[in-house]
């Protein structure tokens, strides 16, 4: 189910891209906000999907709490195509960027619930588990600050969100 949801999210994301009305490269370049929003969101989905796979390998049994945490995570991800489209079409206006960063916050918060449910010290070393939790909490705080900062500085907030993605390129925390 989770893989299907991620695949559908990528499909919905690309369906929100519309070609320019005029058949020129200049017209295409005028849509750079939309294209860049799409690229960041595609990268976000790819990173979350990769991290989700990494995390799910620690599942030894399925229980109702894991299912509901996973559904919450998938729900938060389902908001990404809408927030991406709104941010792109608004040319990165403050409120859409704030909402976009808030979606990142929600996705990260639900990811933390999955970590708590799936990983304990018997699954990995206490040091790696601590690094994973610290990384998640720090990025959650940055996404939260970004959602507020976007109301005044949308480009800075978007940069904050992108910088957080970099630390998740590798699902296991650095040093593990």
């Amino acid at each position: 189910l989770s893989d299907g949801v991620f695949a559908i999210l990528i499909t919905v994301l690309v369906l929100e891209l519309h070609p320019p009305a005029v058949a020129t490269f200049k017209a295409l370049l005028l849509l750079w906000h939309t294209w860049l929003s799409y690229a960041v969101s595609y990268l976000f989905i790819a990173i979350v999907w990769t991290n989700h796979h990494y995390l799910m390998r620690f599942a030894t049994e399925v229980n109702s709490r894991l299912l509901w945490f996973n559904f919450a995570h998938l729900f938060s991800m389902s908001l990404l195509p809408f927030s991406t489209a709104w941010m792109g079409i608004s040319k990165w206006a403050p409120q859409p960027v704030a909402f976009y960063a808030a979606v990142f916050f929600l996705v990260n918060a639900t990811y933390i619930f999955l970590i708590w449910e799936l990983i304990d010290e018997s699954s990995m070393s206490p040091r790696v588990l601590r690094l994973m939790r610290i990384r998640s909490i720090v990025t959650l705080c940055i996404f939260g600050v970004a959602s507020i900062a976007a109301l005044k500085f949308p480009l800075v907030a978007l940069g904050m969100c992108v910088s957080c993605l970099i630390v998740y390129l590798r699902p296991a925390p650095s040093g593990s």
Side-chain angles (χ1 to χ4, degrees):
L1 173 71
S2 297
D3 286 345
V5 170
F6 282 107
I8 289 168
L9 289 174
I10 288 173
T11 303
V12 170
L13 191 67
V14 77
L15 290 175
E16 288 295 324
L17 292 178
H18 301 288
V22 180
T24 65
F25 287 121
K26 182 180 180 184
L28 187 62
L29 286 174
L30 291 174
L31 297 175
W32 71 273
H33 291 92
T34 301
W35 290 99
L36 190 54
S37 299
Y38 168 80
V40 170
S41 292
Y42 189 93
L43 176 64
F44 185 57
I45 291 173
I47 289 170
V48 172
W49 196 351
T50 303
N51 281 270
H52 187 270
H53 268 272
Y54 172 79
L55 210 52
M56 286 302 173
R57 71 187 181 116
F58 292 99
T60 55
E61 66 179 43
V62 176
N63 61 42
S64 62
R65 198 167 55 215
L66 174 59
L67 288 173
W68 284 110
F69 287 159
N70 194 50
F71 277 123
H73 190 59
L74 296 174
F75 170 77
S76 63
M77 284 299 298
S78 75
L79 298 172
L80 193 64
F82 170 75
S83 62
T84 301
W86 190 28
M87 184 175 70
I89 204 164
S90 74
K91 299 183 180 177
W92 300 347
Q95 291 85 1
V97 175
F99 182 73
Y100 187 72
V103 169
F104 277 46
F105 178 90
L106 187 59
V107 168
N108 203 49
T110 57
Y111 184 73
I112 290 171
F113 289 132
L114 286 173
I115 289 172
W116 288 339
E117 182 63 26
L118 289 169
I119 300 180
D120 59 25
E121 291 180 7
S122 66
S123 326
M124 64 176 51
S125 77
R127 180 182 172 278
V128 173
L129 180 57
R130 186 174 55 255
L131 287 172
M132 182 178 271
R133 288 180 174 160
I134 289 170
R135 174 180 72 174
S136 297
I137 300 284
V138 167
T139 55
L140 182 71
C141 292
I142 293 171
F143 290 142
V145 169
S147 64
I148 295 166
L151 297 172
K152 187 81 169 162
F153 307 103
L155 292 178
V156 171
L158 189 58
M160 292 167 70
C161 290
V162 171
S163 69
C164 286
L165 296 182
I166 294 167
V167 302
Y168 283 101
L169 285 172
R170 192 168 157 239
S174 296
S176 61

